[in-house]
Amino acid sequence: QKEVEQDPGPLSVPEGAIVSLNCTYSNSAFQYFMWYRQYSRKGPELLMYTYSSGNKEDGRFTAQVDKSSKYISLFIRDSQPSDSATYLCAMSGNQAGTALIFGKGTTLSVSS
Amino acid sequence: GAGVSQSPRYKVAKRGQDVALRCDPISGHVSLFWYQQALGQGPEFLTYFQNEAQLDKSGLPSDRFFAERPEGSVSTLKIQRTQQEDSAVYLCASSMGRNTEAFFGQGTRLTVV
């Protein structure tokens, strides 16, 4: 079992839909949780950065962390065709310089 | 610069050739990471620098891979005697320091033929 599990999709939704993306993990030492968006042939772009459990909202994006269940989510409201990309969850522990552990990424397609 | 810059963007190497990939981190960023991303996969950690010190190289897949950051700014990832399985996108990321947000460059797509 990999440390971070993420359904690769693909996930196809119509414009305006609410999208839910999820990751599960096995390492209870993870403290920092991130979501990156990656367009084709581009580098990952940081969307959300959270510490420990709880919710964080930024515009149409909401990140949730449930450490008791080892489960994190990213919600996208009013999805747009420009949201079509691969979404990567990433997490790290509490040591200085700890590397990010990524999921495989979920490919999202939003149709107009 | 405004972001992490990597060069070249694309590199085609013949099997057995040595390659060098360059990363210019965001100015003032202490931490620098190299990742390898295979097609359809998430990035996988290769190595980490804090300033000029290479503190973690546990992800380097073989002794053919070598990274340096001699002045604590620009970093170079070198791959000797490239093999086909080295074909991937090599990503560089930098951050201000401990457990702060990491920002990625566009990556170098290496194809070994």
Side-chain angles (χ1 to χ4, degrees):
Chain A
Q1 181 191 10
K2 293 198 71 171
E3 277 192 292
V4 179
E5 298 281 357
Q6 183 176 12
D7 186 341
L11 181 60
S12 295
V13 301
E15 184 175 357
I18 297 174
V19 175
S20 173
L21 304 168
N22 312 292
C23 288
T24 59
Y25 63 95
S26 56
N27 190 341
S28 58
F30 288 145
Q31 297 282 350
Y32 297 88
F33 304 91
M34 287 134 274
W35 286 94
Y36 285 85
R37 177 173 62 194
Q38 188 172 29
Y39 292 113
S40 180
R41 297 186 177 269
K42 299 289 187 183
E45 171 194 6
L46 182 65
L47 282 177
M48 301 290 279
Y49 178 88
T50 54
Y51 172 73
S52 195
S53 285
N55 293 0
K56 185 174 183 178
E57 187 173 321
D58 185 1
R60 295 185 295 112
F61 299 91
T62 299
Q64 289 185 348
V65 175
D66 182 348
K67 290 190 68 182
S68 62
S69 302
K70 298 190 179 68
Y71 187 87
I72 70 170
S73 301
L74 178 71
F75 297 96
I76 307 174
R77 290 182 297 281
D78 187 24
S79 55
Q80 303 295 310
S82 59
D83 294 329
S84 299
T86 296
Y87 289 80
L88 297 156
C89 63
M91 45 201 79
S92 66
N94 206 28
Q95 302 295 319
T98 303
L100 296 177
I101 307 299
F102 283 86
K104 288 182 72 170
T106 299
T107 300
L108 172 67
S109 177
V110 182
S111 56
S112 56
Chain B
V4 178
S5 177
Q6 292 188 245
S7 60
R9 287 293 315 278
Y10 303 93
K11 176 70 178 177
V12 178
K14 291 184 177 179
R15 190 167 50 185
Q17 186 179 356
D18 296 350
V19 298
L21 313 179
R22 177 187 170 103
C23 173
D24 279 272
I26 294 171
S27 179
H29 278 195
V30 169
S31 299
L32 185 146
F33 301 82
W34 283 98
Y35 289 83
Q36 180 190 60
Q37 186 173 25
L39 190 64
Q41 302 293 318
E44 295 204 353
F45 170 75
L46 293 177
T47 187
Y48 161 68
F49 289 86
Q50 182 174 316
N51 295 307
E52 69 278 4
Q54 188 175 21
L55 299 186
D56 187 348
K57 54 182 180 180
S58 61
L60 296 176
S62 78
D63 58 8
R64 297 185 295 104
F65 286 70
F66 171 77
E68 60 183 6
R69 193 186 185 196
E71 297 179 358
S73 178
V74 171
S75 177
T76 303
L77 176 66
K78 298 179 180 178
I79 308 173
Q80 297 176 323
R81 305 181 302 282
T82 51
Q83 304 294 315
Q84 281 193 316
E85 61 263 28
D86 299 334
S87 295
V89 175
Y90 290 85
L91 294 163
C92 176
S94 71
S95 68
M96 289 180 63
R98 176 177 180 157
N99 291 321
T100 59
E101 296 94 322
F103 297 91
F104 282 81
Q106 299 277 44
T108 294
R109 182 176 297 272
L110 173 66
T111 303
V112 181
V113 298

